[in-house]
Amino acid sequence: MTLALPARHFSPAPRPATATTAGIAAPAPTPPLFALDQLEVTFDPQADTLWTYMRPRTRPSFNPALLADFGQWQADIHSAHTSGAMPIRYLVLGSRFPGVFSLGGDLDLFAQHIRAGHREALVQYGRACVRILHRNLRGLDLPIVTIGLVEGDALGGGFEALLSFNVVVAERGASFGLPETVFGLFPGMGAHCFLSRRLGAARAEQMILSGRNYSAEELYDLGIVHALADPGQGRRVVEDYIRQNRRRHSGHCAIYEASRAVNPLTLDELEAVVDLWADAALRLSEGDLKLMRRLVAAQTRLLDKPKG
């Protein structure tokens, strides 16, 4: 039996009522953390776990509004933890989009900015991404273990995002890849920085330059995925992991902190790569942009598939 409770069994802690103009008490508004537009958030108090699922309104990629939700999410988590409102010890991120964790960057937006020559807009987008990933890498500077739950494909920035988690649990059959080289670009939101520290520079470059997809099993062998689950069993495996490791939580947090001290990754380094990425994006040819548009069209077609 697992520790996690269905979302319907939890409601945020009671808050003082808010007086109406008629003098009748009304419930206080829902905390922002539980009312984000593209993030579904629930807290399991028995396992001290915050479960979050991405629910993008368009393609399953990191659109600017979703990035804004992530920024608010991180700020609210920090406030909830430090105030004692929610003693979060495990933070889990997954996706509600069938068969997809995330397809990464907003390629349609990239193409618009590239055609217009808007370097600063590209840089701002990339820096918004890496600020979120860097804060996640640091566990929000809290004693929290972060867990990526992969129940579908993680490509481009979706794969990069997972590299910032302490633990990655992936279902068999999920694919991971960095396809940016297909249209003449490179993954600019942290892949090289993260993979070089995990695998070494040569192996990281090989993975990035190949442009190929990797299975969950292959990444498990490389140590990037930490636990495998059968299809449909990803959440259960995360629940089991938390239950089995709760008593080791403090030790695990200390190990992850020590790892960051041994192989530090600064925000400045990530932002410097974003600058290089933006410059490379502006050098793309019209043929490259057409390939990018084909990928956007393929992503858009996913929206028309039955959600079963």
Side-chain angles (χ1 to χ4, degrees):
M1 189 166 99
T2 60
L3 290 172
L5 298 176
R8 65 177 179 275
H9 289 174
F10 171 75
S11 58
R15 296 171 303 284
T18 302
T20 66
T21 54
I24 301 172
T30 302
L33 181 59
F34 297 96
L36 295 167
D37 184 47
Q38 298 187 60
L39 293 175
E40 172 192 315
V41 184
T42 56
F43 179 60
D44 175 359
Q46 292 192 14
D48 297 328
T49 300
L50 193 78
W51 294 87
T52 303
Y53 288 89
M54 294 178 282
R55 300 183 69 103
R57 296 303 180 196
T58 54
R59 299 182 305 278
S61 59
F62 295 127
N63 61 74
L66 177 55
L67 293 180
D69 275 359
F70 270 122
Q72 185 67 52
W73 176 73
Q74 289 183 326
D76 290 343
I77 289 169
H78 196 276
S79 296
H81 189 283
T82 55
S83 70
M86 283 187 286
I88 302 165
R89 300 208 300 169
Y90 293 92
L91 178 61
V92 185
L93 178 67
S95 170
R96 289 299 191 200
F97 199 97
V100 176
F101 175 79
S102 174
L103 301 180
D106 190 335
L107 299 183
D108 197 24
L109 183 66
F110 294 172
Q112 292 176 37
H113 290 327
I114 291 167
R115 284 199 167 94
H118 289 165
R119 181 184 187 277
E120 187 56 31
L122 291 168
V123 169
Q124 287 179 2
Y125 177 95
R127 289 189 175 183
C129 291
V130 298
R131 281 196 297 269
I132 292 165
L133 296 194
H134 188 258
R135 197 171 189 190
N136 193 59
L137 175 70
R138 296 184 56 82
L140 283 67
D141 294 312
L142 297 170
I144 286 177
V145 174
T146 59
I147 303 174
L149 169 56
V150 187
E151 299 172 287
D153 295 345
L155 303 178
F159 185 9
E160 290 178 290
L162 288 167
L163 295 170
S164 71
F165 284 82
N166 298 137
V167 178
V168 175
V169 174
E171 293 187 355
R172 298 177 188 275
S175 292
F176 301 74
L178 300 165
E180 288 85 352
T181 56
V182 171
F183 47 83
L185 204 50
F186 71 92
M189 315 306 167
H192 201 291
C193 304
F194 289 122
L195 290 172
S196 294
R197 284 164 171 79
R198 300 275 191 94
L199 306 175
R203 187 72 179 89
E205 287 181 3
Q206 181 185 41
M207 181 176 286
I208 293 168
L209 289 169
S210 73
R212 64 168 285 234
N213 286 352
Y214 291 80
S215 68
E217 291 85 348
E218 287 178 290
L219 293 193
Y220 178 78
D221 290 340
L222 288 173
I224 294 173
V225 167
H226 303 90
L228 294 170
D230 290 332
Q233 297 299 309
R235 179 165 176 138
R236 181 190 61 77
V237 170
V238 172
E239 291 170 343
D240 289 346
Y241 174 88
I242 292 171
R243 185 180 68 253
Q244 293 163 8
N245 289 283
R246 286 187 72 192
R247 292 184 180 180
R248 306 182 185 94
H249 176 267
S250 293
H252 285 188
C253 286
I255 290 169
Y256 297 135
E257 187 174 4
S259 295
R260 292 192 293 269
V262 171
N263 287 305
L265 174 54
T266 67
L267 181 58
D268 285 345
E269 179 180 334
L270 289 166
E271 290 184 339
V273 174
V274 167
D275 288 345
L276 295 172
W277 169 83
D279 290 336
L282 292 176
R283 294 194 296 268
L284 293 181
S285 68
E286 187 58 36
D288 293 327
L289 292 177
K290 286 180 180 178
L291 285 174
M292 191 182 291
R293 287 294 303 162
R294 288 178 191 170
L295 284 177
V296 171
Q299 293 178 5
T300 302
R301 285 195 293 274
L302 292 174
L303 299 173
D304 299 327
K305 287 188 175 181
K307 308 297 190 291

PDB file of all heavy atoms in Angstrom, residues 187-223:
ATOM      1  N   PRO A 187      21.112  22.365 -28.114  1.00  0.00           N
ATOM      2  CA  PRO A 187      20.299  22.575 -26.912  1.00  0.00           C
ATOM      3  C   PRO A 187      20.959  23.603 -26.000  1.00  0.00           C
ATOM      4  O   PRO A 187      22.035  23.350 -25.451  1.00  0.00           O
ATOM      5  CB  PRO A 187      20.238  21.189 -26.268  1.00  0.00           C
ATOM      6  CG  PRO A 187      21.440  20.469 -26.794  1.00  0.00           C
ATOM      7  CD  PRO A 187      21.671  21.001 -28.171  1.00  0.00           C
ATOM      8  N   GLY A 188      20.315  24.747 -25.829  1.00  0.00           N
ATOM      9  CA  GLY A 188      20.946  25.857 -25.126  1.00  0.00           C
ATOM     10  C   GLY A 188      20.485  26.097 -23.711  1.00  0.00           C
ATOM     11  O   GLY A 188      20.879  27.076 -23.084  1.00  0.00           O
ATOM     12  N   MET A 189      19.641  25.211 -23.167  1.00  0.00           N
ATOM     13  CA  MET A 189      19.100  25.431 -21.825  1.00  0.00           C
ATOM     14  C   MET A 189      19.707  24.477 -20.798  1.00  0.00           C
ATOM     15  O   MET A 189      19.029  24.037 -19.880  1.00  0.00           O
ATOM     16  CB  MET A 189      17.565  25.309 -21.819  1.00  0.00           C
ATOM     17  CG  MET A 189      16.871  26.012 -22.950  1.00  0.00           C
ATOM     18  SD  MET A 189      17.296  27.763 -23.121  1.00  0.00           S
ATOM     19  CE  MET A 189      16.617  28.126 -24.742  1.00  0.00           C
ATOM     20  N   GLY A 190      20.978  24.147 -20.974  1.00  0.00           N
ATOM     21  CA  GLY A 190      21.666  23.413 -19.915  1.00  0.00           C
ATOM     22  C   GLY A 190      22.161  22.030 -20.235  1.00  0.00           C
ATOM     23  O   GLY A 190      22.896  21.439 -19.438  1.00  0.00           O
ATOM     24  N   ALA A 191      21.779  21.454 -21.383  1.00  0.00           N
ATOM     25  CA  ALA A 191      22.147  20.066 -21.665  1.00  0.00           C
ATOM     26  C   ALA A 191      23.653  19.845 -21.600  1.00  0.00           C
ATOM     27  O   ALA A 191      24.126  18.882 -20.981  1.00  0.00           O
ATOM     28  CB  ALA A 191      21.609  19.637 -23.031  1.00  0.00           C
ATOM     29  N   HIS A 192      24.417  20.726 -22.268  1.00  0.00           N
ATOM     30  CA  HIS A 192      25.872  20.533 -22.294  1.00  0.00           C
ATOM     31  C   HIS A 192      26.445  20.634 -20.887  1.00  0.00           C
ATOM     32  O   HIS A 192      27.307  19.826 -20.486  1.00  0.00           O
ATOM     33  CB  HIS A 192      26.524  21.562 -23.220  1.00  0.00           C
ATOM     34  CG  HIS A 192      27.874  21.157 -23.706  1.00  0.00           C
ATOM     35  ND1 HIS A 192      28.959  21.078 -22.880  1.00  0.00           N
ATOM     36  CD2 HIS A 192      28.323  20.781 -24.938  1.00  0.00           C
ATOM     37  CE1 HIS A 192      30.028  20.684 -23.565  1.00  0.00           C
ATOM     38  NE2 HIS A 192      29.657  20.494 -24.823  1.00  0.00           N
ATOM     39  N   CYS A 193      25.976  21.598 -20.103  1.00  0.00           N
ATOM     40  CA  CYS A 193      26.476  21.793 -18.740  1.00  0.00           C
ATOM     41  C   CYS A 193      26.154  20.590 -17.854  1.00  0.00           C
ATOM     42  O   CYS A 193      27.020  20.076 -17.131  1.00  0.00           O
ATOM     43  CB  CYS A 193      25.868  23.051 -18.131  1.00  0.00           C
ATOM     44  SG  CYS A 193      26.133  24.567 -19.092  1.00  0.00           S
ATOM     45  N   PHE A 194      24.914  20.136 -17.912  1.00  0.00           N
ATOM     46  CA  PHE A 194      24.501  19.012 -17.076  1.00  0.00           C
ATOM     47  C   PHE A 194      25.171  17.704 -17.505  1.00  0.00           C
ATOM     48  O   PHE A 194      25.704  16.958 -16.678  1.00  0.00           O
ATOM     49  CB  PHE A 194      22.980  18.833 -17.139  1.00  0.00           C
ATOM     50  CG  PHE A 194      22.199  19.906 -16.440  1.00  0.00           C
ATOM     51  CD1 PHE A 194      21.265  20.667 -17.132  1.00  0.00           C
ATOM     52  CD2 PHE A 194      22.369  20.163 -15.094  1.00  0.00           C
ATOM     53  CE1 PHE A 194      20.531  21.657 -16.499  1.00  0.00           C
ATOM     54  CE2 PHE A 194      21.644  21.147 -14.441  1.00  0.00           C
ATOM     55  CZ  PHE A 194      20.718  21.900 -15.146  1.00  0.00           C
ATOM     56  N   LEU A 195      25.125  17.415 -18.801  1.00  0.00           N
ATOM     57  CA  LEU A 195      25.652  16.143 -19.288  1.00  0.00           C
ATOM     58  C   LEU A 195      27.164  16.060 -19.148  1.00  0.00           C
ATOM     59  O   LEU A 195      27.710  14.985 -18.881  1.00  0.00           O
ATOM     60  CB  LEU A 195      25.240  15.926 -20.746  1.00  0.00           C
ATOM     61  CG  LEU A 195      23.758  15.638 -20.978  1.00  0.00           C
ATOM     62  CD1 LEU A 195      23.448  15.628 -22.473  1.00  0.00           C
ATOM     63  CD2 LEU A 195      23.341  14.312 -20.338  1.00  0.00           C
ATOM     64  N   SER A 196      27.865  17.160 -19.328  1.00  0.00           N
ATOM     65  CA  SER A 196      29.319  17.143 -19.166  1.00  0.00           C
ATOM     66  C   SER A 196      29.706  16.760 -17.749  1.00  0.00           C
ATOM     67  O   SER A 196      30.683  16.031 -17.534  1.00  0.00           O
ATOM     68  CB  SER A 196      29.917  18.515 -19.499  1.00  0.00           C
ATOM     69  OG  SER A 196      29.760  18.819 -20.867  1.00  0.00           O
ATOM     70  N   ARG A 197      28.921  17.203 -16.780  1.00  0.00           N
ATOM     71  CA  ARG A 197      29.216  16.865 -15.395  1.00  0.00           C
ATOM     72  C   ARG A 197      28.834  15.421 -15.079  1.00  0.00           C
ATOM     73  O   ARG A 197      29.442  14.799 -14.212  1.00  0.00           O
ATOM     74  CB  ARG A 197      28.486  17.832 -14.456  1.00  0.00           C
ATOM     75  CG  ARG A 197      29.166  19.197 -14.393  1.00  0.00           C
ATOM     76  CD  ARG A 197      28.255  20.270 -13.795  1.00  0.00           C
ATOM     77  NE  ARG A 197      28.994  21.508 -13.561  1.00  0.00           N
ATOM     78  CZ  ARG A 197      29.303  22.387 -14.485  1.00  0.00           C
ATOM     79  NH1 ARG A 197      28.953  22.162 -15.753  1.00  0.00           N
ATOM     80  NH2 ARG A 197      29.966  23.490 -14.185  1.00  0.00           N
ATOM     81  N   ARG A 198      27.832  14.921 -15.761  1.00  0.00           N
ATOM     82  CA  ARG A 198      27.388  13.538 -15.511  1.00  0.00           C
ATOM     83  C   ARG A 198      28.228  12.511 -16.269  1.00  0.00           C
ATOM     84  O   ARG A 198      28.561  11.451 -15.740  1.00  0.00           O
ATOM     85  CB  ARG A 198      25.931  13.369 -15.945  1.00  0.00           C
ATOM     86  CG  ARG A 198      24.927  14.247 -15.243  1.00  0.00           C
ATOM     87  CD  ARG A 198      24.450  13.641 -13.935  1.00  0.00           C
ATOM     88  NE  ARG A 198      23.319  14.379 -13.418  1.00  0.00           N
ATOM     89  CZ  ARG A 198      22.041  14.063 -13.635  1.00  0.00           C
ATOM     90  NH1 ARG A 198      21.742  13.029 -14.401  1.00  0.00           N
ATOM     91  NH2 ARG A 198      21.073  14.786 -13.111  1.00  0.00           N
ATOM     92  N   LEU A 199      28.536  12.816 -17.529  1.00  0.00           N
ATOM     93  CA  LEU A 199      29.118  11.817 -18.427  1.00  0.00           C
ATOM     94  C   LEU A 199      30.526  12.161 -18.902  1.00  0.00           C
ATOM     95  O   LEU A 199      31.185  11.304 -19.499  1.00  0.00           O
ATOM     96  CB  LEU A 199      28.224  11.633 -19.660  1.00  0.00           C
ATOM     97  CG  LEU A 199      26.754  11.314 -19.411  1.00  0.00           C
ATOM     98  CD1 LEU A 199      25.990  11.283 -20.733  1.00  0.00           C
ATOM     99  CD2 LEU A 199      26.613   9.978 -18.687  1.00  0.00           C
ATOM    100  N   GLY A 200      30.972  13.403 -18.685  1.00  0.00           N
ATOM    101  CA  GLY A 200      32.216  13.857 -19.276  1.00  0.00           C
ATOM    102  C   GLY A 200      31.929  14.609 -20.565  1.00  0.00           C
ATOM    103  O   GLY A 200      30.928  14.366 -21.246  1.00  0.00           O
ATOM    104  N   ALA A 201      32.837  15.523 -20.928  1.00  0.00           N
ATOM    105  CA  ALA A 201      32.601  16.404 -22.075  1.00  0.00           C
ATOM    106  C   ALA A 201      32.473  15.643 -23.381  1.00  0.00           C
ATOM    107  O   ALA A 201      31.605  15.941 -24.207  1.00  0.00           O
ATOM    108  CB  ALA A 201      33.718  17.434 -22.169  1.00  0.00           C
ATOM    109  N   ALA A 202      33.332  14.651 -23.598  1.00  0.00           N
ATOM    110  CA  ALA A 202      33.320  13.933 -24.875  1.00  0.00           C
ATOM    111  C   ALA A 202      32.001  13.179 -25.068  1.00  0.00           C
ATOM    112  O   ALA A 202      31.387  13.230 -26.144  1.00  0.00           O
ATOM    113  CB  ALA A 202      34.504  12.973 -24.960  1.00  0.00           C
ATOM    114  N   ARG A 203      31.549  12.487 -24.029  1.00  0.00           N
ATOM    115  CA  ARG A 203      30.306  11.720 -24.131  1.00  0.00           C
ATOM    116  C   ARG A 203      29.114  12.652 -24.275  1.00  0.00           C
ATOM    117  O   ARG A 203      28.164  12.354 -25.010  1.00  0.00           O
ATOM    118  CB  ARG A 203      30.139  10.832 -22.889  1.00  0.00           C
ATOM    119  CG  ARG A 203      28.956   9.871 -22.971  1.00  0.00           C
ATOM    120  CD  ARG A 203      29.243   8.766 -23.963  1.00  0.00           C
ATOM    121  NE  ARG A 203      28.135   7.823 -24.046  1.00  0.00           N
ATOM    122  CZ  ARG A 203      27.103   7.944 -24.872  1.00  0.00           C
ATOM    123  NH1 ARG A 203      27.043   8.972 -25.711  1.00  0.00           N
ATOM    124  NH2 ARG A 203      26.145   7.046 -24.898  1.00  0.00           N
ATOM    125  N   ALA A 204      29.154  13.789 -23.586  1.00  0.00           N
ATOM    126  CA  ALA A 204      28.066  14.762 -23.698  1.00  0.00           C
ATOM    127  C   ALA A 204      27.967  15.289 -25.119  1.00  0.00           C
ATOM    128  O   ALA A 204      26.875  15.375 -25.695  1.00  0.00           O
ATOM    129  CB  ALA A 204      28.286  15.907 -22.718  1.00  0.00           C
ATOM    130  N   GLU A 205      29.104  15.660 -25.707  1.00  0.00           N
ATOM    131  CA  GLU A 205      29.099  16.159 -27.087  1.00  0.00           C
ATOM    132  C   GLU A 205      28.591  15.099 -28.050  1.00  0.00           C
ATOM    133  O   GLU A 205      27.841  15.400 -28.982  1.00  0.00           O
ATOM    134  CB  GLU A 205      30.503  16.608 -27.489  1.00  0.00           C
ATOM    135  CG  GLU A 205      30.945  17.918 -26.840  1.00  0.00           C
ATOM    136  CD  GLU A 205      32.328  18.338 -27.274  1.00  0.00           C
ATOM    137  OE1 GLU A 205      32.920  17.636 -28.122  1.00  0.00           O
ATOM    138  OE2 GLU A 205      32.827  19.362 -26.763  1.00  0.00           O
ATOM    139  N   GLN A 206      28.989  13.857 -27.824  1.00  0.00           N
ATOM    140  CA  GLN A 206      28.537  12.772 -28.689  1.00  0.00           C
ATOM    141  C   GLN A 206      27.020  12.641 -28.642  1.00  0.00           C
ATOM    142  O   GLN A 206      26.356  12.486 -29.679  1.00  0.00           O
ATOM    143  CB  GLN A 206      29.200  11.465 -28.252  1.00  0.00           C
ATOM    144  CG  GLN A 206      28.821  10.259 -29.101  1.00  0.00           C
ATOM    145  CD  GLN A 206      29.410   8.972 -28.547  1.00  0.00           C
ATOM    146  OE1 GLN A 206      29.421   8.752 -27.337  1.00  0.00           O
ATOM    147  NE2 GLN A 206      29.918   8.126 -29.438  1.00  0.00           N
ATOM    148  N   MET A 207      26.462  12.723 -27.446  1.00  0.00           N
ATOM    149  CA  MET A 207      25.013  12.594 -27.303  1.00  0.00           C
ATOM    150  C   MET A 207      24.292  13.762 -27.973  1.00  0.00           C
ATOM    151  O   MET A 207      23.282  13.578 -28.673  1.00  0.00           O
ATOM    152  CB  MET A 207      24.641  12.523 -25.820  1.00  0.00           C
ATOM    153  CG  MET A 207      23.153  12.369 -25.564  1.00  0.00           C
ATOM    154  SD  MET A 207      22.756  12.164 -23.805  1.00  0.00           S
ATOM    155  CE  MET A 207      23.301  10.472 -23.549  1.00  0.00           C
ATOM    156  N   ILE A 208      24.822  14.978 -27.799  1.00  0.00           N
ATOM    157  CA  ILE A 208      24.184  16.161 -28.368  1.00  0.00           C
ATOM    158  C   ILE A 208      24.282  16.155 -29.901  1.00  0.00           C
ATOM    159  O   ILE A 208      23.310  16.436 -30.609  1.00  0.00           O
ATOM    160  CB  ILE A 208      24.814  17.441 -27.794  1.00  0.00           C
ATOM    161  CG1 ILE A 208      24.481  17.551 -26.301  1.00  0.00           C
ATOM    162  CG2 ILE A 208      24.332  18.676 -28.547  1.00  0.00           C
ATOM    163  CD1 ILE A 208      25.273  18.619 -25.568  1.00  0.00           C
ATOM    164  N   LEU A 209      25.464  15.818 -30.416  1.00  0.00           N
ATOM    165  CA  LEU A 209      25.677  15.853 -31.861  1.00  0.00           C
ATOM    166  C   LEU A 209      24.934  14.741 -32.594  1.00  0.00           C
ATOM    167  O   LEU A 209      24.607  14.886 -33.776  1.00  0.00           O
ATOM    168  CB  LEU A 209      27.175  15.752 -32.166  1.00  0.00           C
ATOM    169  CG  LEU A 209      28.007  16.989 -31.810  1.00  0.00           C
ATOM    170  CD1 LEU A 209      29.499  16.666 -31.897  1.00  0.00           C
ATOM    171  CD2 LEU A 209      27.656  18.149 -32.737  1.00  0.00           C
ATOM    172  N   SER A 210      24.661  13.649 -31.919  1.00  0.00           N
ATOM    173  CA  SER A 210      24.014  12.511 -32.588  1.00  0.00           C
ATOM    174  C   SER A 210      22.600  12.848 -33.037  1.00  0.00           C
ATOM    175  O   SER A 210      22.126  12.351 -34.059  1.00  0.00           O
ATOM    176  CB  SER A 210      23.974  11.304 -31.655  1.00  0.00           C
ATOM    177  OG  SER A 210      23.017  11.477 -30.628  1.00  0.00           O
ATOM    178  N   GLY A 211      21.902  13.684 -32.252  1.00  0.00           N
ATOM    179  CA  GLY A 211      20.516  14.012 -32.575  1.00  0.00           C
ATOM    180  C   GLY A 211      19.565  12.834 -32.437  1.00  0.00           C
ATOM    181  O   GLY A 211      18.385  12.946 -32.777  1.00  0.00           O
ATOM    182  N   ARG A 212      20.043  11.715 -31.932  1.00  0.00           N
ATOM    183  CA  ARG A 212      19.194  10.525 -31.853  1.00  0.00           C
ATOM    184  C   ARG A 212      18.419  10.478 -30.548  1.00  0.00           C
ATOM    185  O   ARG A 212      18.720  11.191 -29.584  1.00  0.00           O
ATOM    186  CB  ARG A 212      20.042   9.258 -31.993  1.00  0.00           C
ATOM    187  CG  ARG A 212      21.052   9.027 -30.886  1.00  0.00           C
ATOM    188  CD  ARG A 212      21.637   7.624 -30.928  1.00  0.00           C
ATOM    189  NE  ARG A 212      20.674   6.643 -30.443  1.00  0.00           N
ATOM    190  CZ  ARG A 212      20.958   5.780 -29.471  1.00  0.00           C
ATOM    191  NH1 ARG A 212      22.165   5.753 -28.909  1.00  0.00           N
ATOM    192  NH2 ARG A 212      20.055   4.924 -29.069  1.00  0.00           N
ATOM    193  N   ASN A 213      17.385   9.643 -30.526  1.00  0.00           N
ATOM    194  CA  ASN A 213      16.610   9.417 -29.317  1.00  0.00           C
ATOM    195  C   ASN A 213      17.200   8.254 -28.532  1.00  0.00           C
ATOM    196  O   ASN A 213      17.722   7.297 -29.108  1.00  0.00           O
ATOM    197  CB  ASN A 213      15.151   9.131 -29.646  1.00  0.00           C
ATOM    198  CG  ASN A 213      14.398  10.371 -30.070  1.00  0.00           C
ATOM    199  OD1 ASN A 213      14.912  11.496 -29.984  1.00  0.00           O
ATOM    200  ND2 ASN A 213      13.177  10.195 -30.539  1.00  0.00           N
ATOM    201  N   TYR A 214      17.089   8.360 -27.222  1.00  0.00           N
ATOM    202  CA  TYR A 214      17.573   7.316 -26.320  1.00  0.00           C
ATOM    203  C   TYR A 214      16.385   6.755 -25.541  1.00  0.00           C
ATOM    204  O   TYR A 214      15.476   7.504 -25.156  1.00  0.00           O
ATOM    205  CB  TYR A 214      18.601   7.881 -25.339  1.00  0.00           C
ATOM    206  CG  TYR A 214      19.909   8.284 -25.984  1.00  0.00           C
ATOM    207  CD1 TYR A 214      20.027   9.496 -26.661  1.00  0.00           C
ATOM    208  CD2 TYR A 214      21.021   7.444 -25.937  1.00  0.00           C
ATOM    209  CE1 TYR A 214      21.223   9.860 -27.268  1.00  0.00           C
ATOM    210  CE2 TYR A 214      22.217   7.808 -26.540  1.00  0.00           C
ATOM    211  CZ  TYR A 214      22.311   9.012 -27.203  1.00  0.00           C
ATOM    212  OH  TYR A 214      23.496   9.382 -27.810  1.00  0.00           O
ATOM    213  N   SER A 215      16.407   5.475 -25.307  1.00  0.00           N
ATOM    214  CA  SER A 215      15.329   4.861 -24.535  1.00  0.00           C
ATOM    215  C   SER A 215      15.558   5.087 -23.049  1.00  0.00           C
ATOM    216  O   SER A 215      16.683   5.384 -22.602  1.00  0.00           O
ATOM    217  CB  SER A 215      15.266   3.361 -24.819  1.00  0.00           C
ATOM    218  OG  SER A 215      16.426   2.713 -24.301  1.00  0.00           O
ATOM    219  N   ALA A 216      14.502   4.930 -22.268  1.00  0.00           N
ATOM    220  CA  ALA A 216      14.625   5.031 -20.812  1.00  0.00           C
ATOM    221  C   ALA A 216      15.638   4.017 -20.293  1.00  0.00           C
ATOM    222  O   ALA A 216      16.419   4.313 -19.381  1.00  0.00           O
ATOM    223  CB  ALA A 216      13.259   4.804 -20.169  1.00  0.00           C
ATOM    224  N   GLU A 217      15.653   2.832 -20.915  1.00  0.00           N
ATOM    225  CA  GLU A 217      16.590   1.799 -20.473  1.00  0.00           C
ATOM    226  C   GLU A 217      18.041   2.202 -20.731  1.00  0.00           C
ATOM    227  O   GLU A 217      18.926   1.966 -19.889  1.00  0.00           O
ATOM    228  CB  GLU A 217      16.282   0.475 -21.188  1.00  0.00           C
ATOM    229  CG  GLU A 217      14.957  -0.174 -20.774  1.00  0.00           C
ATOM    230  CD  GLU A 217      13.757   0.360 -21.547  1.00  0.00           C
ATOM    231  OE1 GLU A 217      13.881   1.381 -22.255  1.00  0.00           O
ATOM    232  OE2 GLU A 217      12.677  -0.242 -21.428  1.00  0.00           O
ATOM    233  N   GLU A 218      18.299   2.824 -21.876  1.00  0.00           N
ATOM    234  CA  GLU A 218      19.664   3.275 -22.177  1.00  0.00           C
ATOM    235  C   GLU A 218      20.128   4.326 -21.173  1.00  0.00           C
ATOM    236  O   GLU A 218      21.276   4.293 -20.698  1.00  0.00           O
ATOM    237  CB  GLU A 218      19.734   3.854 -23.595  1.00  0.00           C
ATOM    238  CG  GLU A 218      19.670   2.825 -24.705  1.00  0.00           C
ATOM    239  CD  GLU A 218      19.698   3.470 -26.069  1.00  0.00           C
ATOM    240  OE1 GLU A 218      18.702   4.127 -26.441  1.00  0.00           O
ATOM    241  OE2 GLU A 218      20.719   3.334 -26.761  1.00  0.00           O
ATOM    242  N   LEU A 219      19.245   5.257 -20.842  1.00  0.00           N
ATOM    243  CA  LEU A 219      19.625   6.303 -19.896  1.00  0.00           C
ATOM    244  C   LEU A 219      19.723   5.762 -18.473  1.00  0.00           C
ATOM    245  O   LEU A 219      20.472   6.319 -17.655  1.00  0.00           O
ATOM    246  CB  LEU A 219      18.634   7.460 -19.956  1.00  0.00           C
ATOM    247  CG  LEU A 219      18.635   8.250 -21.270  1.00  0.00           C
ATOM    248  CD1 LEU A 219      17.855   9.550 -21.112  1.00  0.00           C
ATOM    249  CD2 LEU A 219      20.052   8.562 -21.749  1.00  0.00           C
ATOM    250  N   TYR A 220      19.013   4.707 -18.182  1.00  0.00           N
ATOM    251  CA  TYR A 220      19.176   4.047 -16.885  1.00  0.00           C
ATOM    252  C   TYR A 220      20.587   3.455 -16.783  1.00  0.00           C
ATOM    253  O   TYR A 220      21.265   3.585 -15.754  1.00  0.00           O
ATOM    254  CB  TYR A 220      18.125   2.947 -16.717  1.00  0.00           C
ATOM    255  CG  TYR A 220      18.252   2.167 -15.425  1.00  0.00           C
ATOM    256  CD1 TYR A 220      17.788   2.695 -14.219  1.00  0.00           C
ATOM    257  CD2 TYR A 220      18.840   0.902 -15.423  1.00  0.00           C
ATOM    258  CE1 TYR A 220      17.904   1.971 -13.036  1.00  0.00           C
ATOM    259  CE2 TYR A 220      18.967   0.177 -14.244  1.00  0.00           C
ATOM    260  CZ  TYR A 220      18.494   0.722 -13.060  1.00  0.00           C
ATOM    261  OH  TYR A 220      18.630   0.002 -11.890  1.00  0.00           O
ATOM    262  N   ASP A 221      21.047   2.844 -17.852  1.00  0.00           N
ATOM    263  CA  ASP A 221      22.400   2.277 -17.863  1.00  0.00           C
ATOM    264  C   ASP A 221      23.469   3.362 -17.724  1.00  0.00           C
ATOM    265  O   ASP A 221      24.555   3.110 -17.184  1.00  0.00           O
ATOM    266  CB  ASP A 221      22.633   1.482 -19.152  1.00  0.00           C
ATOM    267  CG  ASP A 221      21.818   0.196 -19.213  1.00  0.00           C
ATOM    268  OD1 ASP A 221      21.389  -0.281 -18.142  1.00  0.00           O
ATOM    269  OD2 ASP A 221      21.594  -0.317 -20.325  1.00  0.00           O
ATOM    270  N   LEU A 222      23.163   4.577 -18.204  1.00  0.00           N
ATOM    271  CA  LEU A 222      24.108   5.689 -18.109  1.00  0.00           C
ATOM    272  C   LEU A 222      24.019   6.415 -16.763  1.00  0.00           C
ATOM    273  O   LEU A 222      24.826   7.293 -16.476  1.00  0.00           O
ATOM    274  CB  LEU A 222      23.857   6.698 -19.234  1.00  0.00           C
ATOM    275  CG  LEU A 222      24.254   6.267 -20.645  1.00  0.00           C
ATOM    276  CD1 LEU A 222      23.769   7.307 -21.669  1.00  0.00           C
ATOM    277  CD2 LEU A 222      25.768   6.088 -20.750  1.00  0.00           C
ATOM    278  N   GLY A 223      23.026   6.062 -15.951  1.00  0.00           N
ATOM    279  CA  GLY A 223      22.865   6.708 -14.658  1.00  0.00           C
ATOM    280  C   GLY A 223      22.087   8.008 -14.687  1.00  0.00           C
ATOM    281  O   GLY A 223      22.006   8.707 -13.674  1.00  0.00           O
TER     282      GLY A 223
END
